[in-house]
Amino acid sequence: MAQLTFREAIARGIAQEMRRDESIVFLGEDVGAAGGVFKGTVGLLEEFGGVRVRDTPISEQAILGAAMGAAMTGLRPIAEIMFSDFFAVCWDIVANEIAKSRYMTNGQVSFPLVIRSGNGGGLRFGAQHSQSVENWAMMIPGLKVVVPSNALDVIGLMAAAIRDPDPVIFLEAKALYASKMDVPDGEIIDTLGSAKVLRQGSNATVVALGAMVPRALRAAEELANGGIECTVIDVRSLVPLDTTTILREASATGRVFTVEENPRLCGWGGELASIIAEEIFYDLDGPIVRITTPHIPLPAADALEDLAIPSVERIVSTIHKSMNS
Amino acid sequence: MTSTQATPELSYLEHKVAMYRSQVVLRRFEQRAYDLFLENYVKGTSHLSIGQEAIAAGVAAAMRPTDWTFATYRGHAHTLARGVPMTPIFAELMGRTNGLMAGKGGSMHLTSVEHGMMGSYAIIGAHLPIACGAAWSAQYRGTDQVAVAFFGDGSVNIGAFHEALNFAAVWKLPVIFFCENNLWMEYTRTSDVTAVANPAADRAAAYGLESIIIDGNDADAVFEVTSLAVARARAGEGPSMIEAKTYRHGGHSRADPGKYRPDEELAEWLLKDPIPMYRSRLVEMGVSEDDLLLLEADVDAEIETATNEAKAGDVPGEELLLKDVWADGGASWRN
């Protein structure tokens, strides 16, 4: 058992898999010699050498194109897009090439690759380095989308993503990089498409993702002090989506709240609300309520950014108000 | 089975005849594809290579079966040239289950991994970095495979082109960037929208590469220059870029009659048609007229058979709709 930060867990998860399989290679901007701009890949170049851990030019299309071409010819690349906002400059490779080619070729090619990226706000970087883009990835057929919320899950889900035969977008909440937890020694492997119930309560089910998970947990504690007992689910994987767990826990309480960092429109919670309404409507005791970032580009000023992203206070007050109305 | 790929064990003359045959196959295939459009057997769009056959034939002849081709949406010729049979390509254009991809890809996405045909890509420039990735994989695994990425003159002004060129040069990747410069970027003259006279070759220096310009209507020239680039790549000497001047006899795509081009320009290029040119060369080398007529009749018969086989294919049904989004063969996104 060792205490590990979220950022250290990234290097540990990648290293665990690279030791096991020589076909795994890693590329991105500043990932090798610099150890990543968020220091998430420190030590990988030293352990695996410059042939397997490669610094690239600032060329996101080249990075992801290279990952795709390598994946379809026998390697298992991990590519880093430094900030998930930068997906916008290489989205063709993600959405048109990687995601569609297996289907278009009637299964002739596979893309066992992972694209990891720093996602979301909280670091006061302004609108072009802070957006939570999980909804961009979720809406593309052919992409798996994984969003861990703690160091242990980073390792296990990273391992599962690397071993998966399909392309996985692995979004790391930048706001969580410094968070710490005790992590067992030895190999850790998790499963894609499994949500985790982190807390059980009988009054409401709160479904959260990534950086919103610890906030949802703290909100649940405060709500419990006021007599509202919440189940908290960490979605962990948007595609595949563990609807079994979410629907079961939603039915059990009859009230559902989503906590989403993405801007409001077409956030993952909208899809979830639709599934819940369609499939367990008669188990509900009240409206499904989405707690999200407003539909705005994220502002830079700390005071404004804090107002934008769902806070513990906003989660508590929204649930409280809704449960008592 | 129509293998149009020349193999090393052929004699000099056999190699030349195979090169001619390959070009005839590409020409007659494209002409039939056009007829099938007019008969409404083929829907959607398609981009024919009529006039540009010397490039596909010449490059494929310089490649080994284990090498990789990355083509654009104008990819029928490159697919055929790598030895993919005609029937599944016709069937793919017609959207039948006996198509190369069971009808799920269509004209612009022809792919046959078993033939090293790693895909036809319909977003301009996108496949150039993807070819770099295949080349990187060959370099990493220590095979001597080479990736060839074809692109048009219009691709040189998109970002992916420049990212791929720099990336390949810096990593010294075994990749060949092959520009089929047919002078027209869709409906616009390339020189009207490009800062340099030779769209690819004039950019080579920016990436430390040699500027190479060849006659794209001469299959022998294409073969020879590509062979040198392939040898360089296999020897670990890095990427090359070749710009081949050529001309498409028809419009950009099915919907385009190509009327924007001056008559005299088209007439001039029709005189430089690669196929009659190559045929005369063979005759000069002593190949008999009878043998050439037999070869052409044989290709025509193959086209006929393949057309009929393709037409006999089934129309795909629902069983294919939700197949192969994922590696497990399905399309499920939830439990």
Side-chain angles (χ1 to χ4, degrees), chain B residues 34-245:
Chain B
Y34 185 74
D35 293 343
L36 290 168
F37 271 126
L38 298 182
E39 294 165 24
N40 206 30
Y41 277 104
V42 178
K43 320 264 192 332
T45 187
S46 89
H47 306 76
L48 305 180
S49 288
I50 292 175
Q52 305 183 197
E53 296 89 344
I55 291 169
V59 174
M63 297 172 75
R64 290 183 190 158
T66 46
D67 292 334
W68 297 302
T69 296
F70 291 81
T72 69
Y73 51 85
R74 196 181 304 285
H76 304 173
H78 296 300
T79 308
L80 286 161
R82 291 306 309 275
V84 179
M86 292 182 201
T87 300
I89 309 179
F90 276 134
E92 185 63 31
L93 302 189
M94 294 185 204
R96 304 297 169 95
T97 54
N98 56 339
L100 200 53
M101 295 101 83
K104 290 168 76 176
S107 165
M108 294 203 284
H109 299 292
L110 298 177
T111 305
S112 182
V113 170
E114 63 171 307
H115 295 91
M117 178 62 199
M118 303 304 283
S120 309
Y121 296 80
I123 308 292
I124 298 290
H127 59 305
L128 304 181
I130 300 167
C132 289
W136 173 36
S137 159
Q139 184 188 61
Y140 179 81
R141 290 181 294 113
T143 72
D144 60 358
Q145 288 161 288
V146 170
V148 178
F150 295 95
F151 58 97
D153 39 277
S155 301
V156 304
N157 295 320
I158 203 160
F161 168 83
H162 298 274
E163 291 197 18
L165 263 287
N166 181 64
F167 193 86
V170 172
W171 287 23
K172 263 194 146 179
L173 297 175
V175 57
I176 294 161
F177 300 101
F178 200 110
C179 177
E180 300 185 63
N181 179 0
N182 64 21
L183 312 186
W184 289 86
M185 181 216 83
E186 300 196 13
Y187 299 28
T188 302
R189 192 182 285 284
T190 304
S191 59
D192 290 347
V193 292
T194 304
V196 290
N198 303 294
D202 290 351
R203 264 76 180 260
Y207 304 103
L209 302 179
E210 192 187 341
S211 170
I212 302 173
I213 299 174
I214 61 170
D215 177 359
N217 281 14
D218 181 344
D220 289 337
V222 171
F223 170 72
E224 280 154 29
V225 171
T226 306
S227 296
L228 291 175
V230 166
R232 258 177 58 82
R234 285 205 211 291
E237 290 167 30
S240 301
M241 181 156 66
I242 300 168
E243 178 173 335
K245 307 282 192 193

Side-chain angles (χ1 to χ4, degrees), chain A residues 38-173:
Chain A
F38 298 110
K39 299 295 170 201
T41 54
V42 171
L44 294 178
L45 175 68
E46 290 74 12
E47 181 172 354
F48 300 104
V51 173
R52 295 183 70 189
V53 177
R54 299 199 69 163
D55 284 319
T56 68
I58 301 176
S59 301
E60 279 81 10
Q61 294 184 76
I63 292 168
L64 296 190
M68 174 177 173
M72 69 200 285
T73 52
L75 300 189
R76 299 183 88 90
I78 304 165
E80 177 180 310
I81 296 299
M82 193 183 285
F83 287 78
S84 62
D85 311 71
F86 305 170
F87 271 124
V89 300
C90 52
W91 201 237
D92 170 55
I93 303 284
V94 179
N96 278 319
E97 314 299 341
I98 291 171
K100 291 176 180 172
S101 291
R102 180 178 178 81
Y103 185 83
M104 288 197 301
T105 62
N106 201 29
Q108 288 185 54
V109 282
S110 290
F111 302 99
L113 60 85
V114 177
I115 304 170
R116 30 176 305 268
S117 192
N119 188 49
L123 302 188
R124 312 354 184 160
F125 286 162
Q128 294 181 348
H129 288 68
S130 301
Q131 194 171 335
S132 221
V133 305
E134 54 270 19
N135 51 342
W136 294 5
M138 188 188 187
M139 65 174 69
I140 306 292
L143 300 178
K144 293 181 177 173
V145 186
V146 173
V147 190
S149 72
N150 60 71
L152 179 65
D153 284 1
V154 164
I155 301 171
L157 291 173
M158 179 72 78
I162 292 169
R163 294 179 191 203
D164 198 88
D166 293 308
V168 179
I169 307 293
F170 193 92
L171 297 172
E172 301 159 8

